[in-house]
Structures are given as C-alpha cells and as structure tokens.
Amino acid sequence: MALIVHKYGGTSMGSPERIRNVARRIAKWYAAGHQIVVVPSAISGETNRLIALAKEVSPDPDPRELDVIASTGEQVSVGLLAMALKDLGIKARSYAGWQVPIITDSAFTKARIESIGRDRIMSDLAAANVVIVTGFQGMDGDGNITTLGRGGSDTSAVAVAAALEAQECLIYTDVDGVYTTDPRIVPEARRLKVVSFEEMLELASLGSKVLQIRSVEFAGKYRVPVRVLSSLTDPLMSLSVESKSGTLITFEEDEHMEQAVITGIAFNRDEAKITLLGVPDRPGVAYKIVGPVAAANIDIDMIIQNQSVNGTTDFSFTVHRNDLAKALDVLKKQVKESVGAREIIGDANVAKVSAVGIGMRSHVGIAAQMFETLSRDGINIQMISTSEIKISVIIEDKYMELAVRALHKAFELEAQVGGAGLTLGA
Ligand code: ADP
Ligand code: ASP
Ligand code: MG
C-alpha cells in the first residue's frame, strides 16, 4: 500500500463522461489498496471563460478579485469528482485550498505555495477516504484566496505530494508523456520514457507547458517522483502497465537515460523584445535601464548589448508579452531621458526556441549546428543565450513552428518508424 497523488488536467476533466472515467481510474487504484489524494484542474476552457468574464466587467481586473473568480473552476471539479466516486461506492471528501489549508504568499494570480496542512488529509485517508483537493488555488496569511498562475494545478499536486511524503505524483494529462517537443507542432515527436530533472526544469522554463515550471522545482527540492501519463486510456487498464507508462522524471543520470545530445526542443510565444537605441556605453547604464524595470516587478529574460560605436550602443532585452506595455511605459518615463537613449522600440512579434539536453555538456558544436539549421531556412537570429544544457534563440514569431520542426529533424529526435504512438485529446 502506498500514498499516491493523482493530478488530472482540464481535458482529463473535460466532460461528465471523462470525470466518471477519472473516478473509475481512481477506484481501480483505491481497490488495489492505495491511499489516493487527487488534485484536479478546472474543466478545460473554464478558467479562460472565468478570466474573460472578469475582463468583460472590468478591463483591468483587480488581482485579488480576479483570483476569487478564477479559482472557482477547480472548486466545481473537486465536488464533481467526489460525487462521481461516491456513486461508485467509494468514500471521498473534497476540499478547497483554504480548507486544507494550502498557504501561499499574497502575489495574486501568481502566488507561491508556502506550506500545506497535513492533518485533515491524513485523518481522512486513515478513515479510508479518497481525498480531493483543488488545484491552482490557495490562501494567503490574511485569509485571501490566491491562485498559482496558469497551469498551476501541476504545482498544487507536486506540493501536496511533497507535504504528504507521497510515494509518487502521477500527472495525468491529454498526452501520454513528455515528448521531444510539443506533439501538436511536430507529430513525429517521440515520447521520452525518462527525462532528467534538470532537463525537465529547462524544458518547462523554456515554454513546454506539459508541466508548470514550479511543479518541477518542487519535485527537485523535495525529491518527489513525478510521472506524466495519459488520462485518456482505458481507465480499467492493468494497474501494473499503467503505473509504468508515460514519462518518469529521474534525479539520477543512470543507464536508463537515453544517450542523446539534445533531448528536446522547447518554444515560447510569450516573449516580447525591447530595444533602447543609442545608449551611452558607460558603467552603470545597464543598471539604470534594468533597475526600474525590475522595480516595477517585471521579469527580464534575455539581455544583449551590442558593440559600441562612437561611445553609444544598442541595448535589448526580453520580457513577458503581457508586460510589454508596462515595461515601455516605465522606460519612457523613468529611463529614456536619464540614460539618454535615442529611441525605445517594443516588438511583440518574437518567439523563443530552445534546444535542451544534458548531452550538450560533453559535445561541442551544438550551437553551430543549431545556427546552421536555422540559417538554411533563412531564419534570422535576433538574440542568443546559452547555459551548460540549453541554447535559446529569439526569432521572428512567424518562423517559430518552422524552426521547431527543422531543429527537431536536425537533431534526429523523431520517432522510429513504427515507434511510439500518440494519443492526443480534444
Ligand atoms: P493539462 O490540462 O493536463 O494540465 P496542458 O495542456 O497544460 O494539460 O499540458 C499538456 C499539453 O502540453 C499537451 O497537450 C501538449 O500539447 C503540450 N506540450 C508542450 N510541450 C510538450 C512536450 N514536450 N511533451 C508533451 N506535451 C507537450
Ligand atoms: N485551471 C488552471 C488553468 O487553466 C490551472 C490548471 O489547469 O493547471 O490555468
Ligand atoms: Mg497544465
């Protein structure tokens, strides 16, 4: 008998039939003697609908109230799932985040989990209940409802698993594992049986939305075994097959790791580029530009400064696309004159494409191969950043899918003929 956390995403909870299937799957695990805690997302589309509704009423909604609204999708899901389990004759209890409690900081719409109460869940489990806890939502120290950022139910699930010292956290979703890239963009993408924690962290942070980045961070910090697998298979399939299916995130680089140089290609359409033209090339200027942007709570991603000509240079950096207008406003009001920039340009038509792989450490020439591949398709690279295990480029967004496909092919990431099959949900 083991304590196992299951997480079901929006598509997995996408209709009454799918919710009943989730209940059947849980019932199978329960019948095998396991203690199960379930963390469901809102029904697919529901969080979007709630946020759109809020914005129809108030174009720039108050973040505290937005969280009150956006969190309700998950509350509906826990109730529905508990009912479906009870209909199968299984004892189940549903909880909202504040009831557990899942305590977060007060950063509405992107709160971080600080602690999770164990007592209520553990006593329910001891009384043979399946415990169902809302994903995505928590409560701050003042009792305000918070949410964890889009895709945050992954983080709720891994954090609950860490708090309960669960044996495994199973992330059930609409693909049957982590692929070499998003199979919606490259149908030839191949499922990885295992992926190292470090690579998963890079893939998630560079845009692979199969797992929210913070869930991977939690998994690493608390060494939670996480497996990504499909919720769209037969819910009554053999437990021994299901428990080994999907993709396992591993913490050891062992003999099971595939020996590829590049493990996956990630992409992100959420970036925007800002360029300050004609900036004096003097000590302290980078700080004067970046300081006020950071003070406005805007995260900066890539930064590049050109060679100076006649004492001036161009300085570019990227921010989240949603922060572009705010960042430009800060720069025009607080930076342009004090730094003496000639012009400030914002460009939302960019995307970031990244190649990730721990094999890069022991191979040279990967960057050259990447740049050559992009140049063959006439794709101009605007910015580059590298780490030990990744290379990222900023390109014009209309070339993003072309770049992903070309790199996926160039690094030979495709499935073998007759290889892994793919089941994608609606
Ligand atoms: P859920 O609602 O279950 O949380 P998400 O839509 O958040 O599901 O994440 C699953 C989706 O992530 C897949 O449908 C797929 O399109 C996308 N995805 C992006 N990159 C990858 C990848 N490398 N491997 C698998 N899926 C990926
Ligand atoms: N329902 C939330 C969202 O759509 C959280 C999640 O699905 O993980 O972002
Ligand atoms: Mg998700």
Side-chain angles (χ1 to χ4, degrees):
M1 186 190 80
L3 197 170
I4 297 172
V5 174
H6 284 201
K7 182 258 170 176
Y8 292 90
T11 312
S12 313
M13 296 288 294
S15 65
E17 182 55 21
R18 286 200 175 154
I19 294 170
R20 283 193 294 270
N21 272 342
V22 167
R24 287 185 194 112
R25 191 179 298 277
I26 294 165
K28 175 182 71 183
W29 283 81
Y30 178 88
H34 298 301
Q35 292 185 315
I36 306 292
V37 178
V38 190
V39 178
S41 296
I43 292 171
S44 58
E46 182 62 5
T47 311
N48 287 346
R49 188 187 72 80
L50 291 164
I51 293 172
L53 175 64
K55 287 185 176 167
E56 258 182 62
V57 173
S58 168
D60 186 18
D62 177 82
R64 179 189 183 277
E65 307 313 329
L66 186 59
D67 275 359
V68 170
I69 297 160
S71 61
T72 59
E74 271 68 12
Q75 191 162 331
V76 172
S77 286
V78 291
L80 291 171
L81 193 51
M83 286 177 353
L85 278 162
K86 288 179 196 191
D87 286 349
L88 296 177
I90 292 174
K91 283 168 68 179
R93 301 201 71 181
S94 67
Y95 291 108
W98 63 268
Q99 292 174 295
V100 173
I102 295 180
I103 303 292
T104 70
D105 64 17
S106 303
F108 296 112
T109 76
K110 50 181 173 190
R112 286 179 176 268
I113 295 177
E114 290 178 343
S115 66
I116 294 182
R118 291 167 49 105
D119 297 353
R120 205 164 191 170
I121 299 178
M122 292 312 279
S123 67
D124 278 349
L125 288 175
N129 287 286
V130 169
V131 180
I132 309 168
V133 176
T134 48
F136 187 48
Q137 52 162 272
M139 173 180 80
D140 75 3
D142 295 327
N144 300 302
I145 291 173
T146 55
T147 67
L148 309 180
R150 299 308 305 269
S153 298
D154 297 330
T155 303
S156 309
V158 178
V160 165
L164 302 177
E165 295 168 69
Q167 181 171 304
E168 200 168 26
C169 182
L170 302 179
I171 307 275
Y172 287 91
T173 183
D174 58 3
V175 281
D176 61 354
V178 178
Y179 276 67
T180 46
T181 193
D182 188 341
R184 289 179 201 272
I185 302 284
V186 183
E188 299 80 21
R190 184 168 45 88
R191 180 171 61 83
L192 302 162
K193 287 200 179 70
V194 290
V195 61
S196 74
F197 158 71
E198 275 180 286
E199 287 171 323
M200 195 62 238
L201 197 60
E202 287 285 6
L203 288 169
S205 80
L206 296 168
S208 300
K209 70 165 190 161
V210 61
L211 286 178
Q212 198 200 36
I213 171 84
R214 284 187 198 155
S215 70
V216 188
E217 288 168 356
F218 261 106
K221 188 164 175 194
Y222 298 100
R223 285 288 191 268
V224 181
V226 171
R227 184 180 289 277
V228 178
L229 66 172
S230 175
S231 71
L232 303 178
T233 52
D234 175 4
L236 301 181
M237 76 188 273
S238 131
L239 199 64
S240 61
V241 174
E242 181 173 318
S243 60
K244 291 191 186 63
S245 66
T247 302
L248 179 68
I249 300 178
T250 60
F251 298 101
E252 311 296 333
E253 291 174 29
D254 60 20
E255 70 277 12
H256 301 300
M257 298 298 301
E258 296 172 43
Q259 294 302 312
V261 180
I262 299 296
T263 301
I265 309 292
F267 54 85
N268 186 353
R269 301 174 212 264
D270 295 335
E271 303 243 341
K273 188 175 80 164
I274 295 174
T275 304
L276 290 89
L277 296 174
V279 176
D281 194 6
R282 278 199 306 268
V285 165
Y287 172 64
K288 276 194 184 156
I289 295 171
V290 167
V293 177
N297 224 345
I298 298 170
D299 285 335
I300 290 180
D301 184 17
M302 284 193 204
I303 303 181
I304 188 170
Q305 183 178 327
N306 288 340
Q307 186 87 25
S308 67
V309 180
N310 299 330
T312 64
T313 181
D314 298 339
F315 189 96
S316 301
F317 59 91
T318 59
V319 295
H320 193 284
R321 217 175 261 195
N322 292 346
D323 287 331
L324 177 62
K326 191 170 157 198
L328 287 173
D329 193 50
V330 169
L331 290 167
K332 283 178 182 155
K333 287 194 179 127
Q334 298 177 38
V335 175
K336 189 164 188 270
E337 263 180 38
S338 70
V339 165
R342 191 172 71 243
E343 201 184 341
I344 299 177
I345 303 168
D347 180 2
N349 298 320
V350 295
K352 180 162 72 175
V353 176
S354 310
V356 172
I358 46 182
M360 247 186 249
R361 281 191 190 126
S362 50
H363 284 76
V364 290
I366 302 302
Q369 193 180 346
M370 181 164 177
F371 303 157
E372 192 209 345
T373 304
L374 297 174
S375 77
R376 260 192 270 120
D377 279 310
I379 300 170
N380 185 40
I381 299 171
Q382 303 180 16
M383 298 169 95
I384 300 167
S385 95
T386 63
S387 79
E388 245 197 327
I389 65 164
K390 71 116 201 275
I391 305 168
S392 299
V393 295
I394 294 284
I395 58 174
E396 197 179 338
D397 62 352
K398 70 176 183 196
Y399 294 122
M400 193 196 79
E401 294 193 8
L402 175 65
V404 171
R405 286 196 199 98
L407 293 170
H408 194 268
K409 203 170 176 52
F411 288 115
E412 297 176 357
L413 296 175
E414 294 108 328
Q416 308 295 314
V417 177
L422 166 64
T423 40
L424 269 182

